[in-house]
Amino acid sequence: MTEPIRVLLADDQDLVRAGLRLMIDRAPGLTVVGEAATGHDAVRMAHEARADVVLMDIRMPGLDGLAATRRIAADDRLAGVKVLILTTFEVDDYVFEALRSGASGFLGKGARPDALIEAIRTVARGDALLSPAATRGLIARFLKLHDSEPVHISPLLAGLTDREREVTALVADGMSNADIARQLTLSPLTVKTHVNHAMTKLDARDRAQLVVLAYQTGLARPPRAR
């Protein structure tokens, strides 16, 4: 049998953690292996509980979720751990910085239970970005606030093939592998291979970071307001 996905809950509200535990433990193939009320506890328990996915609230006492995410992402011993940010879905610097810090995606706290379960499974696979259109919109709106800042094309892009650049730009535009495959008349497996090669060359932990890097390196630009 396939091992269940091990989930760690990191939120300073007992009631929120209790609700999340109830939903997750009832889902096939998922199990809650621990709870943390602070960022420090989240980092420690990610080690001790051998978590696959950490559901991370941003605002927690002491070490906040953003700093905890950064520590988890920087720890080679936790290389396989995915962080899913739980947020009120506000477009603010925290969410963008969370993605830059190594989070695999984010989900609104008001999401339906089935959306939460699917999000955990998606992040655990590491092969898809959560809510692509919403993520694209958030990053684009954030970058518009800094639109006057010059964008310098990164030398990292020199290592990408033309097709890898094309696919990465479409990923940053919020398209799924299936969407990209249809647009470029490729197989989804071929698209996934290009995405994986781009992630390796750009040193992106997952698809979420690939989107961020696409904007940061100048490969993708937010759409202009009409």
Side-chain angles (χ1 to χ4, degrees):
M1 294 180 60
T2 303
E3 289 292 325
I5 297 170
R6 301 169 63 83
V7 182
L8 172 64
L9 308 178
D11 194 294
D12 63 337
Q13 297 184 39
D14 294 344
L15 192 60
V16 171
R17 295 200 310 275
L20 291 171
R21 176 182 280 273
L22 183 63
M23 287 187 287
I24 294 168
D25 277 342
R26 291 172 61 181
L30 301 181
T31 183
V32 174
V33 294
E35 298 183 17
T38 70
H40 286 293
D41 287 343
V43 176
R44 174 177 58 81
M45 294 191 67
H47 280 282
E48 296 177 358
R50 296 184 294 111
D52 298 311
V53 176
V54 180
L55 289 187
M56 184 82 75
D57 186 29
I58 290 180
R59 296 171 178 85
M60 290 188 290
L63 188 74
D64 64 21
L66 179 60
T69 297
R70 189 176 296 114
R71 291 191 184 187
I72 290 173
D75 192 331
D76 290 339
R77 295 170 298 173
L78 298 176
V81 178
K82 305 296 184 181
V83 177
L84 172 59
I85 296 292
L86 293 177
T87 173
T88 54
F89 222 68
E90 298 171 352
V91 178
D92 58 23
D93 291 8
Y94 284 107
V95 176
F96 183 79
E97 287 298 329
L99 291 173
R100 290 182 62 188
S101 298
S104 296
F106 62 92
L107 190 70
K109 285 189 173 181
R112 291 169 52 88
D114 57 342
L116 171 66
I117 299 305
E118 182 56 31
I120 294 171
R121 290 176 175 148
T122 299
V123 168
R125 290 195 304 266
D127 62 357
L129 175 65
L130 300 178
S131 303
T135 302
R136 174 194 59 192
L138 182 143
I139 294 175
R141 288 166 66 183
F142 176 87
L143 290 179
K144 281 182 180 179
L145 300 177
H146 304 271
D147 198 45
S148 61
E149 299 176 5
V151 174
H152 302 288
I153 303 301
S154 171
L156 288 174
L157 296 181
L160 299 183
T161 65
D162 290 342
R163 180 65 87 183
E164 287 164 358
R165 289 187 183 213
E166 184 177 26
V167 169
T168 300
L170 293 175
V171 169
D173 197 41
M175 296 179 67
S176 68
N177 285 355
D179 294 333
I180 297 171
R182 283 191 293 270
Q183 178 160 323
L184 300 182
T185 318
L186 300 171
S187 72
L189 181 59
T190 298
V191 172
K192 184 175 181 178
T193 298
H194 287 310
V195 171
N196 288 340
H197 286 168
M199 287 194 296
T200 298
K201 292 178 180 180
L202 296 178
D203 198 25
R205 283 170 56 96
D206 50 36
R207 197 177 180 103
Q209 279 219 309
L210 184 63
V211 172
V212 175
L213 286 168
Y215 281 104
Q216 287 183 316
T217 58
L219 185 59
R221 293 291 288 159
R224 296 285 179 178
R226 295 181 179 179

